[in-house]
Amino acid sequence: MNIYRLSAIFLFFLLNAGSSFAQQATNPVIYADVPDLSMIRVGDTYYMSSTTMHMSPGVPIMKSTDLVNWEMVSYAYDTLADIDPMNLDNEKRAYGKGSWASCIRYHNNRYYVSTFSSTTGKTYVFSTKDIEKGEWERHEFSPSLHDNTLFFDDDGKIYMIWGAGKLMMAELEPDFSGVKEGTEKVLIENASAPAGDNIMLPAEGSQLFKVRGKYYLFNITWPRGSMRSVVIHRADNINGPWEGRLALQDKGVAQGGLIDTPDGRWFSFLFRDYGSVGRIPYLVPVKWEDGWPVLGVDGKVPDTLDLPASKGLIPGIVNSDEFTRKKNDADLPLVWQWNHNPVNELWSVRDRKGYLRLTTGRVDESFVYARNTLTQRTFGPVSSANTRMDASNMKDGDYAGFCALQRKYGQVGVKMTGGEKFIYMISNETDTPVEMESLPLTQNEVYFKIDCDFRDRKDMARFYYSLDGKSWTAIGSPLKMEYTLMEHFMGYRFGFFNYATKSPGGFVDFDYFRVGAQLTEKQ
């Protein structure tokens, strides 16, 4: 064989090896805020639920066929409760509250999702036969059982485990009307113990699994001076005795559970706190040793996985929207969520063809109490979104535009003062909203853009406007984004808003929402 043929063969294998490597999935598998994930596999399809707290609709349900590429398929509920905190009424709000960690299960050809809410003081179980297109049946009872896991055992009994540090367990009534009287008990007195005795965050986030006849209970805990960690307990009987061990302590990747593939491989699905983009999902390979799931590669979270590569979060998790709707189209695709409960009479994608219209319905003193702010997730490592807004029908005292929503929010938009319009940028980086720049606007249509840079936790947002949609001008100052646990407790979101400070009834029209993964300027 001559040297040219050898070189050609070598080049062929080299290129194919590179191609194979490029097709591997990488961690994080979703570089966006999808916390408290719970997961099941039904046949060759995976379903996942997550937390979006005060957003409406709530408890998003996602679908995948490869554990890496996910798409939105449903929400467990449209409205958690018609109460003041969820409606932003009477100076009450539910930022960072609403519903928390959910648990998804499949039993007897039916899907179940449990969650809980300190806002309402209740525990919820939602069920459906068709997880992608069916209606969800709702069950609720008091009290609110923190970070609960729903479990259907082989003997027909239905259990719920909940708590922090001291974990409780009880049987549920078959109709999910509440806890069976006399069944509540302490399951594990100190579930944090395998991680030491100096604990900052007691073991919580329970998720229970049964594999080959044994019970495995996953929890997250946080030893002082260390990081979020995975603790696993196992037992031969659900009532115990339970033995526990520290299962993973790397990069703060924790809270989740087990999932297997149709070809017999095992993974643990977990999340990681990653600055202002939020809590982002990771997958960790699992092997079994002496009846224990062993997480990671030599105890570490790998950067690459033997799974198909991600095709990106667009259009499955976030997506552009031209607001064009056919007669039978849903008014809003599933990628959208409202900040708190919407007032449906005050928004429309039908009143003006190809536009989202937001109309003010009351006077608000603060942006954080404004109704009908429509949002989508930001994502990393960088993301950018832009829109065109028609401000023709604003009233004096109105503020409308585009925002990066979290507690320390940033806004770029149009305000109307003294009968004149101004482009403005507001920063709430210091927890006090400050107008950083204001410019006269002599036309009704204006374009806005927000860039988010999450690389290496840079966490910077920049705000732009344009008068022609071609040439962009930075306005105000960059916003140092911060993930705040108090109140908002979620990653930053792009959002449309419109609120009145003097009199209601003004409206603005947004022509489109276009999102991508390229910044306006090199940074």
Side-chain angles (χ1 to χ4, degrees):
M1 186 178 292
N2 63 44
I3 190 170
Y4 299 106
R5 183 166 175 78
L6 282 170
S7 298
I9 292 172
F10 176 75
L11 181 62
F12 172 83
F13 281 108
L14 185 63
L15 290 172
N16 277 273
S19 173
S20 175
F21 179 78
Q23 293 305 306
Q24 284 187 307
T26 59
N27 270 317
V29 290
I30 301 176
Y31 205 144
D33 192 48
V34 183
D36 305 334
L37 47 159
S38 181
M39 197 180 296
I40 56 171
R41 178 175 63 84
V42 180
D44 58 0
T45 303
Y46 305 92
Y47 293 101
M48 174 170 66
S49 65
S50 179
T51 297
T52 49
M53 301 176 192
H54 52 278
M55 294 290 167
S56 178
V59 187
I61 310 297
M62 288 151 275
K63 168 189 176 182
S64 175
T65 56
D66 60 14
L67 283 174
V68 176
N69 294 284
W70 295 87
E71 62 175 314
M72 294 288 309
V73 294
S74 182
Y75 288 95
Y77 62 80
D78 287 327
T79 301
L80 179 66
D82 185 15
I83 56 177
D84 284 355
M86 294 301 296
N87 291 334
L88 291 171
D89 276 340
N90 297 315
E91 297 186 354
K92 294 183 179 180
R93 55 195 188 187
Y95 287 110
K97 298 178 182 176
S99 63
W100 281 10
S102 61
C103 175
I104 188 169
R105 293 290 179 256
Y106 182 69
H107 177 69
N108 286 347
N109 299 315
R110 196 169 182 87
Y111 297 88
Y112 296 85
V113 172
S114 68
T115 187
F116 70 102
S117 174
S118 61
T119 308
T120 63
K122 293 182 178 181
T123 299
Y124 299 85
V125 179
F126 301 92
S127 66
T128 183
K129 297 202 76 169
D130 185 347
I131 195 170
E132 297 186 34
K133 298 179 181 178
E135 294 293 322
W136 288 86
E137 185 177 337
R138 178 187 184 118
H139 313 269
E140 58 187 67
F141 60 87
S142 297
S144 171
L145 303 182
H146 177 81
D147 276 14
N148 64 70
T149 181
L150 182 65
F151 186 77
F152 297 87
D153 211 347
D154 299 334
D155 59 4
K157 292 181 178 180
I158 308 169
Y159 293 95
M160 192 164 272
I161 297 171
W162 72 93
K166 179 189 290 188
L167 301 183
M168 307 297 294
M169 184 179 76
E171 284 186 54
L172 296 186
E173 296 287 357
D175 61 357
F176 304 101
S177 58
V179 169
K180 264 191 179 181
E181 188 175 350
T183 65
E184 183 174 329
K185 59 176 283 187
V186 176
L187 186 69
I188 301 174
E189 183 67 38
N190 180 12
S192 312
D197 56 8
N198 190 12
I199 300 296
M200 182 169 66
L201 175 73
E204 60 178 11
S206 293
Q207 293 201 42
L208 181 64
F209 306 88
K210 192 172 187 179
V211 182
R212 304 183 189 109
K214 286 186 180 290
Y215 299 85
Y216 297 90
L217 181 61
F218 276 63
N219 290 99
I220 182 176
T221 191
W222 194 339
R224 294 186 188 277
S226 185
M227 65 187 74
R228 291 183 186 266
S229 308
V230 179
V231 169
I232 300 176
H233 286 81
R234 75 173 183 182
D236 293 322
N237 186 292
I238 197 168
N239 294 296
W242 292 84
E243 55 178 329
R245 61 165 54 177
L246 183 65
L248 184 67
Q249 200 169 64
D250 183 43
K251 299 179 181 177
V253 174
Q255 188 163 336
L258 286 169
I259 195 75
D260 66 339
T261 64
D263 60 5
R265 292 175 294 159
W266 287 85
F267 292 89
S268 182
F269 53 88
L270 306 160
F271 72 74
R272 180 185 186 186
D273 292 85
Y274 205 75
S276 63
V277 75
R279 294 178 289 171
I280 58 180
Y282 278 65
L283 288 173
V284 177
V286 171
K287 59 182 179 180
W288 292 87
E289 292 182 359
D290 300 323
W292 285 96
V294 178
L295 276 58
V297 179
D298 297 326
K300 300 296 181 182
V301 175
D303 293 327
T304 60
L305 299 159
D306 186 19
L307 290 168
S310 172
K311 298 174 184 177
L313 303 189
I314 303 170
I317 304 297
V318 299
N319 200 14
S320 298
D321 194 340
E322 298 296 316
F323 297 120
T324 54
R325 301 290 186 265
K326 296 179 181 178
K327 182 177 179 180
N328 294 322
D329 287 345
D331 281 357
L332 290 176
L334 296 172
V335 290
W336 291 109
Q337 285 179 287
W338 297 100
N339 176 26
H340 292 68
N341 294 342
V343 182
N344 289 322
E345 298 77 21
L346 297 176
W347 69 272
S348 175
V349 289
R350 309 282 180 177
D351 286 352
R352 181 180 178 186
K353 188 175 180 180
Y355 286 80
L356 165 71
R357 175 167 294 176
L358 298 181
T359 304
T360 63
R362 69 181 187 189
V363 171
D364 286 297
E365 294 183 0
S366 170
F367 164 64
V368 295
Y369 286 105
R371 305 292 298 269
N372 287 8
T373 297
L374 185 63
T375 77
Q376 284 199 41
R377 294 171 178 84
T378 61
F379 58 91
V382 299
S383 52
S384 177
N386 68 90
T387 189
R388 178 171 65 183
M389 188 182 86
D390 184 346
S392 304
N393 295 285
M394 293 179 70
K395 285 190 171 185
D396 203 53
D398 286 0
Y399 288 75
F402 208 25
C403 67
L405 178 62
Q406 229 268 5
R407 175 178 164 183
K408 298 190 175 184
Y409 60 81
Q411 297 173 319
V412 60
V414 174
K415 65 176 183 177
M416 191 164 178
T417 305
E420 297 183 350
K421 296 185 178 76
F422 299 84
I423 300 172
Y424 76 95
M425 185 268 168
I426 282 180
S427 171
N428 194 45
E429 185 176 316
T430 61
D431 275 331
T432 300
V434 177
E435 185 174 271
M436 309 302 292
E437 190 173 354
S438 178
L439 303 166
L441 178 64
T442 57
Q443 61 191 60
N444 284 319
E445 290 194 344
V446 60
Y447 301 78
F448 299 116
K449 180 187 286 189
I450 301 175
D451 285 356
C452 295
D453 188 349
F454 302 107
R455 292 172 297 182
D456 300 319
R457 302 199 188 192
K458 187 181 294 185
D459 292 348
M460 297 300 297
R462 289 174 170 81
F463 301 80
Y464 301 87
Y465 75 92
S466 174
L467 299 178
D468 59 10
K470 298 176 183 178
S471 176
W472 293 97
T473 302
I475 185 170
S477 63
L479 174 74
K480 176 61 176 175
M481 295 182 288
E482 181 181 334
Y483 185 95
T484 56
L485 292 176
M486 298 301 293
E487 291 199 346
H488 284 243
F489 202 9
M490 66 168 51
Y492 273 77
R493 286 184 168 239
F494 297 117
F496 293 123
F497 66 90
N498 182 27
Y499 64 98
T501 64
K502 291 185 178 180
S503 62
F507 63 87
V508 292
D509 293 330
F510 296 95
D511 190 9
Y512 53 77
F513 172 83
R514 294 173 184 166
V515 65
Q518 187 171 354
L519 300 179
T520 304
E521 307 172 54
K522 289 186 178 180
Q523 297 162 18

